[in-house]
């Protein structure tokens, strides 16, 4: 069965989408519609901007969304998903591609999300760190021991077995990295991000995005969408909305999404959008499933 997956923030690169714009009339029309909706020419930044221009939150998230969704649309009849999923921001792309959200509404929500997250980042200095080479349970245990008044650190992204991203305020992340290295992590590397995504520190952004999501009409998707908050397939619009609202302060359970997709028959994964980061994660998850089965 064919599964289509969509990347999140961090996959962007200068020049992304230009080939689609130049060579496909549908893509050009959608990119120009996006310029109108956003009120600035995001295509100029995507195609010819600098890395720093592209790293602006108000640019990065809609840029990755646009490249991902337009790539899927331009596949035409070849885009026949049995299921979709997206990593963090990519979940919005997955929902639009599956028909749960219109292109226009998806872009508006992604832009609202980006701006709300930027505000939350500026309100509380915070960051994230990648942890390589420890079982999930050990990382969870260390984080739980550090979580106390004034300190927040949680497991934010379950990317694949042995690779987790933690999220929290700067002091808590630094303390967790030290403890996790002492516990045997191969790497505990702070990431160059502006905030603690998928942690309680994103609550102000969640509140702001919730209002926008609740005002947006969602349809029943043409195939199940495996959502980040629980890794399970969803088709009911009300459930999809609730999960999308919860996503900003909840863990991205990507490992569980992929495990469940494989268990439900996915044997062919196509990544739509910039980069191939998800393919690498899926290969590692698939290897673990083949070796040990799915828990």
């Amino acid at each position: 069965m064919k599964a289509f997956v969509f990347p999140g923030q961090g996959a962007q690169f200068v020049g992304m989408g230009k080939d689609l714009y130049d060579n496909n009339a549908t893509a050009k029309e959608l990119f120009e519609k996006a310029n109108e909706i956003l009120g600035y020419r995001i295509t100029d930044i995507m195609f010819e901007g600098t890395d720093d221009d592209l790293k602006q939150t108000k640019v990065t998230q809609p840029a990755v969304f646009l490249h991902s969704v337009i790539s899927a649309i331009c596949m035409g009849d070849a885009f026949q998903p049995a299921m979709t999923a997206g990593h963090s921001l990519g979940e919005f792309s997955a929902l639009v591609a599956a028909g749960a959200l219109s292109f226009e509404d998806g872009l508006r929500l992604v832009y609202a999300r980006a701006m709300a997250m930027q505000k939350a980042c500026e309100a509380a200095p915070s960051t994230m760190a990648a942890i390589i080479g420890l079982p999930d349970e050990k990382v969870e245990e260390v984080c739980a021991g550090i979580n106390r008044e004034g300190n927040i650190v949680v497991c934010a992204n379950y990317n694949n077995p042995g690779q987790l991203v933690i999220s929290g305020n700067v002091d808590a992340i630094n303390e967790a990295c030290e403890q996790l290295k002492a516990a045997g992590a191969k790497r505990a590397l702070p990431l160059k991000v502006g905030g603690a995504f998928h942690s309680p520190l994103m609550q102000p952004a969640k509140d702001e995005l919730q209002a926008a999501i609740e005002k947006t009409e969602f349809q029943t998707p043409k195939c199940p969408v495996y959502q980040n908050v629980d890794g399970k397939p969803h088709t009911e619009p009300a459930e999809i909305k609730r999960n999308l609202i919860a996503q900003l302060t909840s863990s991205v359970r990507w490992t569980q999404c992929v495990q469940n997709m494989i268990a439900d028959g996915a044997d062919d994964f196509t990544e739509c959008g910039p980069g191939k980061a998800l393919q690498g994660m899926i290969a590692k998850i698939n290897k673990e499933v083949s070796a040990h089965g799915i828990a």
Side-chain angles (χ1 to χ4, degrees), residues 126-134 139 153-154 156-157 159 162-170 172-182 184-195:
S126 53
T127 190
M128 304 175 81
I131 311 302
I132 311 293
L134 280 179
V139 181
V153 57
V154 297
N157 298 347
N159 286 337
Q163 187 196 115
L164 253 173
V165 175
I166 60 174
S167 183
N169 57 286
V170 174
I173 290 289
N174 290 337
E175 184 178 344
C177 285
E178 290 305 312
Q179 290 194 24
L180 290 164
K181 282 189 278 191
K186 292 178 183 175
R187 298 187 76 187
L189 181 68
L191 301 176
K192 292 179 180 178
V193 296

Side-chain angles (χ1 to χ4, degrees), residues 72-239:
I73 290 170
C74 290
M75 291 178 71
D77 291 341
F79 185 74
Q80 296 289 337
M83 55 190 79
T84 67
H87 190 286
S88 189
L89 160 70
E91 187 161 288
F92 288 81
S93 308
L95 288 166
V96 172
L101 269 173
S102 70
F103 172 80
E104 295 85 352
D105 284 344
L107 178 58
R108 290 188 186 100
L109 286 180
V110 165
Y111 189 63
R113 180 184 192 266
M115 299 309 286
M117 289 172 74
Q118 183 62 43
K119 276 191 254 179
C121 292
E122 290 167 359
S126 53
T127 190
M128 304 175 81
I131 311 302
I132 311 293
L134 280 179
D136 294 351
E137 296 76 17
K138 184 61 182 177
V139 181
E140 291 166 349
E141 178 190 321
V142 169
C143 288
I146 294 171
N147 263 313
R148 53 184 178 270
E149 190 175 349
N151 269 357
I152 292 175
V153 57
V154 297
C155 295
N157 298 347
Y158 292 80
N159 286 337
N160 54 250
Q163 187 196 115
L164 253 173
V165 175
I166 60 174
S167 183
N169 57 286
V170 174
D171 289 345
I173 290 289
N174 290 337
E175 184 178 344
C177 285
E178 290 305 312
Q179 290 194 24
L180 290 164
K181 282 189 278 191
K186 292 178 183 175
R187 298 187 76 187
L189 181 68
L191 301 176
K192 292 179 180 178
V193 296
F197 306 143
H198 301 290
S199 83
L201 291 169
M202 284 291 114
Q203 186 64 43
K206 175 184 172 182
D207 293 341
E208 195 170 323
L209 185 61
Q210 179 170 351
I213 289 174
E214 286 176 345
K215 287 189 289 188
T216 301
E217 185 177 358
F218 283 63
Q219 306 293 333
T220 301
K222 61 188 175 186
C223 67
V225 179
Y226 288 67
Q227 291 191 272
N228 291 176
V229 296
D230 60 5
K232 295 177 181 177
H234 294 276
T235 55
E236 168 56 45
E239 279 182 12

